[in-house]
Amino acid sequence: MTAIHWKRQQPRSLRHGMELCLEHARVKANASVDRIADLMGLANKWVLYKWMESGRLPAVLIRPFETACGIDYVTRYLSHSARKLLVDIPTGRKATGRDINSLQASFAEAVAVLLRHYEGKTPVDETVAALTGVLEELAWHRAEVERRAAPQMDVFEEVTDE
C-alpha cells in the first residue's frame, strides 16, 4: 500500500472532503467515527453518518469536525469552490531542504498530470486539483519570504528575565 501525501490531496466535493478528513483521522490518529463524533460533542455517530450521506455538514460544526480529524479538507473544498486559493498564515521561519524538495516534487507531479491531461488521460478535476495544490504551496513560500523580509515581533515568544 502506498503512502498518502495528505498535503497534496484536494477534495472534489463537500462529501469527498468529509471522507478525506475521516480517512486522515483513521490513518494518522487511529480515530474511529465514534471518536470523531465524541470529540465534536455529538450524541452519536449516526448524526455524522447522516451528514456524510447528505453532504450537509452544519457550518458551525466545520471547525470542530476538522479539529477532531486533524486536517481541513472541508474548508479547502469551500475555498476552492469559491475560486479562492487557501494559503497557511506565514510564520517567517526559514525553509528547510525538505520544504524545497516537497515544492519541487509538487511541481513535477503537477506538470506530469498536466501533460497527461492534454493527452486525454487525466480528468479535469484531477488536473485542477494538482495545479491548485502547487499554486497554494508556492503562494505559501512567497508569503514566508515576504514575512522574513519584514519580521514582526513574535507575540508568543517566551520572555526570560536576564
Side-chain angles (χ1 to χ4, degrees):
M1 184 176 196
T2 60
I4 298 173
H5 297 285
W6 293 107
K7 289 177 79 175
R8 296 186 190 152
Q9 292 290 321
Q10 297 293 333
R12 297 181 303 270
S13 66
L14 183 62
R15 188 176 187 178
H16 184 240
M18 292 174 70
E19 290 169 1
L20 285 172
C21 284
L22 289 174
E23 180 67 12
H24 179 270
R26 186 187 65 76
V27 170
K28 292 292 186 179
N30 197 25
S32 65
V33 176
D34 276 326
R35 180 74 177 133
I36 301 298
D38 185 47
L39 289 170
M40 291 175 64
L42 301 176
N44 58 49
K45 67 180 177 183
W46 303 112
V47 176
L48 191 53
Y49 277 124
K50 181 181 82 172
W51 293 332
M52 288 279 302
E53 179 185 19
S54 66
R56 293 177 172 220
L57 179 65
V60 297
L61 291 176
I62 292 173
R63 287 307 306 148
F65 175 69
E66 291 177 336
T67 301
C69 293
I71 202 153
D72 60 358
Y73 287 121
V74 174
T75 300
R76 287 186 200 182
Y77 169 72
L78 293 172
S79 173
H80 296 165
S81 67
R83 300 195 178 280
K84 307 291 183 205
L85 288 178
L86 201 60
V87 180
D88 290 335
I89 295 173
T91 60
R93 73 172 176 84
K94 184 177 179 180
T96 64
R98 182 178 226 155
D99 294 330
I100 303 303
N101 285 337
S102 175
L103 178 64
Q104 187 171 3
S106 295
F107 270 119
E109 182 181 327
V111 169
V113 170
L114 188 59
L115 288 170
R116 286 195 307 269
H117 172 73
Y118 285 127
E119 293 172 353
K121 297 177 182 175
T122 305
V124 172
D125 59 341
E126 189 177 325
T127 306
V128 169
L131 293 172
T132 302
V134 77
L135 285 171
E136 287 179 346
E137 197 168 345
L138 189 60
W140 179 82
H141 279 282
R142 179 189 181 278
E144 283 292 332
V145 168
E146 222 172 39
R147 174 94 184 246
R148 286 180 56 81
Q152 300 173 358
M153 184 175 82
D154 190 359
V155 177
F156 301 106
E157 187 176 26
E158 187 174 312
V159 178
T160 58
D161 294 330
E162 290 184 23

